[in-house]
Amino acid sequence: MSRIDSALRLALASVALLSAAAACAQTTAPSTAPSAAPAQPSAAPAKAAPQPKIAPVTTTVVVHGELKDDYLPDTAATGLLDPAPLLQTPLSVSVVTRELLNDQGIRLLNEAIKNDTSVGEDYAPVGYYGDYQIRGIPIDLATGLEINGLTIAGEQDVPLENKQSVEFLKGLAGVESGVASAGGLIGFVTKRPAFITAFDTATDQRGSAFGAADLGRLFGGHKQVGARLNLAGESIRSYVQHAEGWRGVGAGAADWRINPATTLTSDFEYQHKVERSVCGYQLLGGAVVPDINRLYPSHMLGYQSWQKPNTFDTWNASSRLTRDLTRNWRAQFAGSLSHSLIDDNVVYAYGNSVANPSYFFAPNGTYDIYDYRNPGELRIDGVAEALATGHIKTGALTHEIAVGTELFLRNVRMPGDAPASAPDYVVNGSIYQWVGSENIYQTDQDFPAATDPGGHPLQAGPRALYEDNHQSSLLLQDRIRIPGGFQLIAGGRYDALRDHNFSGSLNTDKNLWLPQFAVTYNPVNAVTLYSNYGVLLSLGPQASWWVDNANQYLAPFFTRQAEIGAKVQPTQHLLVTAAWFRMTTPNFYPRIIQAPDSFCPASVFNAPGDLCFESDGREIHNGFELNSEGKVTSWLRLTGSLTTLSATSNNTSNATYNGKQIINQPRVRTALFADLAVPHSHGLHLMPGWSYTASKEATRDDLVSVPSYNIFNFGLRYAPGGEKAKITYRVYADNITDKRYWKDTGANYGDTFIHLGAPTTIRLSAHYTF
């Protein structure tokens, strides 16, 4: 309890300091005021002539300074050239709003995804950045995450303190995104400048401490310039022992209405994070799930007293210039740069060298631990785009046209080969040295760190270029509005791809056309029926180290999707969406081979019966999604999600895999979160939550799986004086029954891992607006 008391005292002291600072900084400006849209940060002069209206065709979301109270955003932009109200978007999109992030105490993406059951973890250990999957297909971190519609390096925990919402696009988005993730995209939308002075403090029962400031102002005679600053700091006390850490965040946003026709918006964010990461478990002998009743979520596998934490330094910057050219046409130019630098240090729990197979834990639970260090992992994504949008009429038809070009650059650098003159303790590439063996059911042992024969600590090789990816694209889209409530959307992207992997032998240079089509029908204003079809090219996955074609990248692959859906808005503040989809994509797995083939030629083939990581057959993903978000009545608002998914391997050379559900994909998932106003108690709200996940397969022949589970959550929100009060208190508890469960059975570079879910976690927070 001493740690909890210390944390509470720290939180109370922080509140007092922040309150005093706010009192000193308070001005005569109102605490809240309508904010500007990204394209209009200020009001026009009173005598200015009215500006012609242009269709909303930017690639950012219109964000308001005030929080809406219905969990339903106005628009979404991720994966779209011409953002439109969610009701009119011919894609399956869900949004986690700022208010929902606050109510659930969310500060990490892997906590936000629980609100959409089509999005799940694929490999997201505590203390590390996460891999995710959408509709059963892992996203590519090189291309699967965006901020304000621009791709970022996904190997980072994107800070949420300066975000207005998190968007999940489920399915293909080839026109906007080019060669990208097949399953979908995850997008972040930043807060825009507004009059605001707000502070947040939070803690939990383990002693974590969090503080954040949100400061914004509008300047100029007509408020044509705006700025917003978000600062945050957190002392992390994880539920896993020894996984403590800390992070600091600084983010800024600026809007400048240069003249009535031209607007410039910019964003910058930086995060420094230090934390040990937690290893996952593996199947015992490749065929048995460890006994969960003998394991504890608080246990860090293989912990060594000398192990260093991971260090993450990430920043993302972007700017967008928008100019109205004529009454009907608008041009915009945007650029972004995303930088992720990681010192990766972990005592890695993996396999057992004396067992068969050696790449799983031994049948009795024994596993090997390795001193793994990969310092200086550097990943950079850069984007530059130019887009013209407008509309023309041809008789009874209206064409809303978008045409533009984009350049995407991706650069990855990792430790490489040591020079010939280097001493013996400098190794080629990263450090990956066996240091000992332990057992999952026994206490940890301490082993010495890896050294060379002379006792010198090992050092990784100098940083070298591992991947160089260039994409230059031309894109075109035409949205045709037809009398009678119909719309036809036809688009495509001509992409010139140059992807060179210097860690392997694969180089890809190809030009391709990526089409995408959709049709919508509005029988009445509150109902949209739609269908879409698209083809997308994604970069190939990398083979694991224990197959004959170790560490090699496979060739880019195509994914095809057909989808039909319906969106209904029974009230202004409630949206219900349903979608059925079918996606086909190649099936990748370590295949047993008896002779050299196109994936493992004679130069790498070792012996009959070896494993080769290959594309063999295909996966067919048939699914149904049902989502609801918004305000049902004046006293009830909610978000709900249901996904059923049949994701099977087909036409593979291994008959035992055909027709079987792929690993880590439950056939049914549900999630529900509600906010209920307590009658006769002004400002008090109950916030119950529930989710269900069906069993997940852990082997490709479906002979081993982890059980289904239910998770129940509960929270309270209290705002003395009602929703417009200056202070709001929140208490939110995840997993209130302390359910012990396996949260995912995902793969990472061909290996399969299973991770324990989090125990009960109780968060307390306070939000102050001055």
Side-chain angles (χ1 to χ4, degrees), residues 392-421:
I392 59 176
K393 289 186 67 67
T394 56
L397 305 181
T398 300
H399 298 262
E400 296 179 1
I401 297 173
V403 59
T405 183
E406 182 181 274
L407 176 65
F408 171 78
L409 305 176
R410 163 84 167 177
N411 186 279
V412 178
R413 295 179 180 270
M414 298 279 189
D417 291 343
S421 59

mmCIF file of all heavy atoms in Angstrom, residues 392-421:
data_model
loop_
_atom_site.group_PDB
_atom_site.id
_atom_site.type_symbol
_atom_site.label_atom_id
_atom_site.label_comp_id
_atom_site.label_asym_id
_atom_site.label_seq_id
_atom_site.Cartn_x
_atom_site.Cartn_y
_atom_site.Cartn_z
ATOM 1 N N ILE A 392 -17.496 19.045 -61.262
ATOM 2 C CA ILE A 392 -18.038 19.554 -62.516
ATOM 3 C C ILE A 392 -19.381 18.882 -62.749
ATOM 4 O O ILE A 392 -19.651 17.797 -62.228
ATOM 5 C CB ILE A 392 -17.092 19.274 -63.701
ATOM 6 C CG1 ILE A 392 -16.841 17.772 -63.842
ATOM 7 C CG2 ILE A 392 -15.789 20.040 -63.545
ATOM 8 C CD1 ILE A 392 -15.996 17.395 -65.039
ATOM 9 N N LYS A 393 -20.233 19.528 -63.535
ATOM 10 C CA LYS A 393 -21.542 18.968 -63.857
ATOM 11 C C LYS A 393 -21.591 18.633 -65.341
ATOM 12 O O LYS A 393 -21.124 19.385 -66.186
ATOM 13 C CB LYS A 393 -22.661 19.953 -63.509
ATOM 14 C CG LYS A 393 -22.885 20.140 -62.018
ATOM 15 C CD LYS A 393 -24.104 21.015 -61.749
ATOM 16 C CE LYS A 393 -25.415 20.350 -62.160
ATOM 17 N NZ LYS A 393 -25.726 19.166 -61.330
ATOM 18 N N THR A 394 -22.137 17.453 -65.615
ATOM 19 C CA THR A 394 -22.379 17.035 -67.006
ATOM 20 C C THR A 394 -23.838 16.608 -67.089
ATOM 21 O O THR A 394 -24.176 15.469 -66.748
ATOM 22 C CB THR A 394 -21.453 15.884 -67.414
ATOM 23 O OG1 THR A 394 -21.621 14.802 -66.507
ATOM 24 C CG2 THR A 394 -20.000 16.337 -67.403
ATOM 25 N N GLY A 395 -24.685 17.522 -67.466
ATOM 26 C CA GLY A 395 -26.110 17.237 -67.500
ATOM 27 C C GLY A 395 -26.644 17.042 -66.094
ATOM 28 O O GLY A 395 -26.460 17.881 -65.202
ATOM 29 N N ALA A 396 -27.294 15.898 -65.854
ATOM 30 C CA ALA A 396 -27.870 15.620 -64.546
ATOM 31 C C ALA A 396 -26.847 15.033 -63.583
ATOM 32 O O ALA A 396 -27.161 14.822 -62.404
ATOM 33 C CB ALA A 396 -29.049 14.650 -64.687
ATOM 34 N N LEU A 397 -25.650 14.768 -64.055
ATOM 35 C CA LEU A 397 -24.636 14.127 -63.225
ATOM 36 C C LEU A 397 -23.668 15.165 -62.659
ATOM 37 O O LEU A 397 -23.326 16.148 -63.320
ATOM 38 C CB LEU A 397 -23.850 13.093 -64.029
ATOM 39 C CG LEU A 397 -24.656 12.003 -64.735
ATOM 40 C CD1 LEU A 397 -23.711 11.052 -65.469
ATOM 41 C CD2 LEU A 397 -25.527 11.236 -63.734
ATOM 42 N N THR A 398 -23.218 14.921 -61.441
ATOM 43 C CA THR A 398 -22.182 15.741 -60.815
ATOM 44 C C THR A 398 -20.968 14.865 -60.551
ATOM 45 O O THR A 398 -21.090 13.797 -59.939
ATOM 46 C CB THR A 398 -22.674 16.355 -59.493
ATOM 47 O OG1 THR A 398 -23.813 17.171 -59.744
ATOM 48 C CG2 THR A 398 -21.586 17.180 -58.847
ATOM 49 N N HIS A 399 -19.821 15.307 -61.035
ATOM 50 C CA HIS A 399 -18.577 14.565 -60.841
ATOM 51 C C HIS A 399 -17.733 15.290 -59.788
ATOM 52 O O HIS A 399 -17.377 16.462 -59.969
ATOM 53 C CB HIS A 399 -17.785 14.486 -62.150
ATOM 54 C CG HIS A 399 -18.492 13.767 -63.245
ATOM 55 N ND1 HIS A 399 -18.243 12.456 -63.548
ATOM 56 C CD2 HIS A 399 -19.459 14.199 -64.111
ATOM 57 C CE1 HIS A 399 -19.012 12.086 -64.557
ATOM 58 N NE2 HIS A 399 -19.757 13.134 -64.929
ATOM 59 N N GLU A 400 -17.408 14.590 -58.719
ATOM 60 C CA GLU A 400 -16.473 15.106 -57.722
ATOM 61 C C GLU A 400 -15.145 14.392 -57.968
ATOM 62 O O GLU A 400 -15.015 13.195 -57.720
ATOM 63 C CB GLU A 400 -16.987 14.864 -56.313
ATOM 64 C CG GLU A 400 -18.280 15.615 -56.023
ATOM 65 C CD GLU A 400 -18.804 15.357 -54.625
ATOM 66 O OE1 GLU A 400 -18.146 14.608 -53.878
ATOM 67 O OE2 GLU A 400 -19.864 15.904 -54.288
ATOM 68 N N ILE A 401 -14.180 15.126 -58.461
ATOM 69 C CA ILE A 401 -12.950 14.546 -58.981
ATOM 70 C C ILE A 401 -11.788 14.853 -58.048
ATOM 71 O O ILE A 401 -11.668 15.960 -57.506
ATOM 72 C CB ILE A 401 -12.658 15.078 -60.393
ATOM 73 C CG1 ILE A 401 -13.779 14.639 -61.359
ATOM 74 C CG2 ILE A 401 -11.304 14.589 -60.911
ATOM 75 C CD1 ILE A 401 -13.673 15.247 -62.732
ATOM 76 N N ALA A 402 -10.941 13.859 -57.864
ATOM 77 C CA ALA A 402 -9.678 14.032 -57.153
ATOM 78 C C ALA A 402 -8.573 13.463 -58.023
ATOM 79 O O ALA A 402 -8.661 12.332 -58.509
ATOM 80 C CB ALA A 402 -9.719 13.317 -55.809
ATOM 81 N N VAL A 403 -7.534 14.262 -58.234
ATOM 82 C CA VAL A 403 -6.401 13.815 -59.034
ATOM 83 C C VAL A 403 -5.136 14.337 -58.368
ATOM 84 O O VAL A 403 -5.097 15.470 -57.868
ATOM 85 C CB VAL A 403 -6.502 14.309 -60.493
ATOM 86 C CG1 VAL A 403 -6.568 15.825 -60.556
ATOM 87 C CG2 VAL A 403 -5.342 13.783 -61.326
ATOM 88 N N GLY A 404 -4.108 13.498 -58.323
ATOM 89 C CA GLY A 404 -2.906 13.940 -57.646
ATOM 90 C C GLY A 404 -1.752 12.981 -57.806
ATOM 91 O O GLY A 404 -1.803 12.018 -58.578
ATOM 92 N N THR A 405 -0.714 13.269 -57.061
ATOM 93 C CA THR A 405 0.494 12.452 -57.087
ATOM 94 C C THR A 405 1.051 12.364 -55.677
ATOM 95 O O THR A 405 0.806 13.235 -54.834
ATOM 96 C CB THR A 405 1.542 13.065 -58.034
ATOM 97 O OG1 THR A 405 2.670 12.203 -58.097
ATOM 98 C CG2 THR A 405 1.982 14.434 -57.545
ATOM 99 N N GLU A 406 1.803 11.272 -55.427
ATOM 100 C CA GLU A 406 2.373 11.067 -54.097
ATOM 101 C C GLU A 406 3.716 10.373 -54.216
ATOM 102 O O GLU A 406 3.929 9.516 -55.077
ATOM 103 C CB GLU A 406 1.438 10.228 -53.225
ATOM 104 C CG GLU A 406 1.961 10.005 -51.802
ATOM 105 C CD GLU A 406 1.027 9.153 -50.954
ATOM 106 O OE1 GLU A 406 0.099 9.721 -50.354
ATOM 107 O OE2 GLU A 406 1.235 7.919 -50.900
ATOM 108 N N LEU A 407 4.625 10.745 -53.338
ATOM 109 C CA LEU A 407 5.924 10.098 -53.218
ATOM 110 C C LEU A 407 6.063 9.570 -51.798
ATOM 111 O O LEU A 407 5.849 10.306 -50.828
ATOM 112 C CB LEU A 407 7.052 11.090 -53.521
ATOM 113 C CG LEU A 407 8.491 10.555 -53.334
ATOM 114 C CD1 LEU A 407 8.785 9.449 -54.330
ATOM 115 C CD2 LEU A 407 9.500 11.691 -53.458
ATOM 116 N N PHE A 408 6.411 8.275 -51.676
ATOM 117 C CA PHE A 408 6.587 7.634 -50.371
ATOM 118 C C PHE A 408 7.996 7.044 -50.293
ATOM 119 O O PHE A 408 8.446 6.359 -51.219
ATOM 120 C CB PHE A 408 5.553 6.523 -50.178
ATOM 121 C CG PHE A 408 5.799 5.668 -48.951
ATOM 122 C CD1 PHE A 408 5.450 6.126 -47.691
ATOM 123 C CD2 PHE A 408 6.375 4.411 -49.064
ATOM 124 C CE1 PHE A 408 5.679 5.347 -46.558
ATOM 125 C CE2 PHE A 408 6.603 3.620 -47.946
ATOM 126 C CZ PHE A 408 6.256 4.089 -46.696
ATOM 127 N N LEU A 409 8.692 7.314 -49.200
ATOM 128 C CA LEU A 409 10.033 6.800 -48.971
ATOM 129 C C LEU A 409 10.056 6.065 -47.644
ATOM 130 O O LEU A 409 9.508 6.550 -46.636
ATOM 131 C CB LEU A 409 11.066 7.931 -48.945
ATOM 132 C CG LEU A 409 11.126 8.855 -50.163
ATOM 133 C CD1 LEU A 409 12.133 9.967 -49.930
ATOM 134 C CD2 LEU A 409 11.484 8.069 -51.414
ATOM 135 N N ARG A 410 10.711 4.915 -47.627
ATOM 136 C CA ARG A 410 10.859 4.114 -46.406
ATOM 137 C C ARG A 410 12.305 3.672 -46.318
ATOM 138 O O ARG A 410 12.853 3.088 -47.264
ATOM 139 C CB ARG A 410 9.925 2.918 -46.463
ATOM 140 C CG ARG A 410 10.236 1.793 -45.473
ATOM 141 C CD ARG A 410 9.645 2.040 -44.113
ATOM 142 N NE ARG A 410 9.687 0.825 -43.302
ATOM 143 C CZ ARG A 410 9.297 0.746 -42.052
ATOM 144 N NH1 ARG A 410 8.801 1.819 -41.438
ATOM 145 N NH2 ARG A 410 9.367 -0.381 -41.377
ATOM 146 N N ASN A 411 12.941 3.957 -45.180
ATOM 147 C CA ASN A 411 14.340 3.623 -44.986
ATOM 148 C C ASN A 411 14.499 2.928 -43.646
ATOM 149 O O ASN A 411 14.017 3.426 -42.626
ATOM 150 C CB ASN A 411 15.183 4.909 -45.030
ATOM 151 C CG ASN A 411 16.663 4.649 -44.982
ATOM 152 O OD1 ASN A 411 17.225 4.436 -43.916
ATOM 153 N ND2 ASN A 411 17.305 4.690 -46.139
ATOM 154 N N VAL A 412 15.160 1.766 -43.643
ATOM 155 C CA VAL A 412 15.376 0.998 -42.416
ATOM 156 C C VAL A 412 16.864 0.722 -42.270
ATOM 157 O O VAL A 412 17.509 0.232 -43.213
ATOM 158 C CB VAL A 412 14.604 -0.334 -42.431
ATOM 159 C CG1 VAL A 412 14.885 -1.130 -41.159
ATOM 160 C CG2 VAL A 412 13.105 -0.086 -42.583
ATOM 161 N N ARG A 413 17.401 1.043 -41.100
ATOM 162 C CA ARG A 413 18.807 0.772 -40.805
ATOM 163 C C ARG A 413 18.912 -0.024 -39.514
ATOM 164 O O ARG A 413 18.243 0.286 -38.526
ATOM 165 C CB ARG A 413 19.605 2.078 -40.698
ATOM 166 C CG ARG A 413 19.664 2.832 -42.024
ATOM 167 C CD ARG A 413 20.443 4.133 -41.916
ATOM 168 N NE ARG A 413 20.480 4.822 -43.207
ATOM 169 C CZ ARG A 413 21.422 4.642 -44.110
ATOM 170 N NH1 ARG A 413 22.423 3.809 -43.863
ATOM 171 N NH2 ARG A 413 21.392 5.298 -45.260
ATOM 172 N N MET A 414 19.756 -1.049 -39.538
ATOM 173 C CA MET A 414 19.961 -1.952 -38.413
ATOM 174 C C MET A 414 21.459 -2.217 -38.248
ATOM 175 O O MET A 414 22.243 -1.943 -39.161
ATOM 176 C CB MET A 414 19.241 -3.277 -38.657
ATOM 177 C CG MET A 414 17.738 -3.174 -38.796
ATOM 178 S SD MET A 414 16.955 -3.097 -37.178
ATOM 179 C CE MET A 414 15.238 -3.262 -37.687
ATOM 180 N N PRO A 415 21.879 -2.794 -37.109
ATOM 181 C CA PRO A 415 23.279 -3.203 -36.985
ATOM 182 C C PRO A 415 23.672 -4.174 -38.095
ATOM 183 O O PRO A 415 22.947 -5.130 -38.382
ATOM 184 C CB PRO A 415 23.323 -3.873 -35.613
ATOM 185 C CG PRO A 415 22.230 -3.209 -34.846
ATOM 186 C CD PRO A 415 21.148 -2.965 -35.850
ATOM 187 N N GLY A 416 24.810 -3.925 -38.720
ATOM 188 C CA GLY A 416 25.274 -4.754 -39.825
ATOM 189 C C GLY A 416 26.573 -5.464 -39.499
ATOM 190 O O GLY A 416 26.931 -5.645 -38.321
ATOM 191 N N ASP A 417 27.279 -5.872 -40.528
ATOM 192 C CA ASP A 417 28.519 -6.628 -40.344
ATOM 193 C C ASP A 417 29.611 -5.748 -39.754
ATOM 194 O O ASP A 417 29.751 -4.564 -40.101
ATOM 195 C CB ASP A 417 28.990 -7.196 -41.675
ATOM 196 C CG ASP A 417 28.073 -8.298 -42.190
ATOM 197 O OD1 ASP A 417 27.283 -8.828 -41.376
ATOM 198 O OD2 ASP A 417 28.135 -8.611 -43.392
ATOM 199 N N ALA A 418 30.395 -6.358 -38.873
ATOM 200 C CA ALA A 418 31.530 -5.655 -38.278
ATOM 201 C C ALA A 418 32.675 -5.557 -39.284
ATOM 202 O O ALA A 418 32.885 -6.474 -40.083
ATOM 203 C CB ALA A 418 31.987 -6.387 -37.025
ATOM 204 N N PRO A 419 33.417 -4.471 -39.290
ATOM 205 C CA PRO A 419 34.579 -4.375 -40.191
ATOM 206 C C PRO A 419 35.644 -5.396 -39.802
ATOM 207 O O PRO A 419 35.699 -5.866 -38.668
ATOM 208 C CB PRO A 419 35.057 -2.935 -39.987
ATOM 209 C CG PRO A 419 34.532 -2.529 -38.646
ATOM 210 C CD PRO A 419 33.234 -3.250 -38.477
ATOM 211 N N ALA A 420 36.493 -5.728 -40.747
ATOM 212 C CA ALA A 420 37.520 -6.750 -40.514
ATOM 213 C C ALA A 420 38.458 -6.369 -39.382
ATOM 214 O O ALA A 420 39.008 -7.235 -38.691
ATOM 215 C CB ALA A 420 38.308 -6.985 -41.801
ATOM 216 N N SER A 421 38.649 -5.072 -39.177
ATOM 217 C CA SER A 421 39.576 -4.621 -38.138
ATOM 218 C C SER A 421 38.949 -4.552 -36.754
ATOM 219 O O SER A 421 39.639 -4.216 -35.782
ATOM 220 C CB SER A 421 40.113 -3.231 -38.517
ATOM 221 O OG SER A 421 39.037 -2.301 -38.654
#
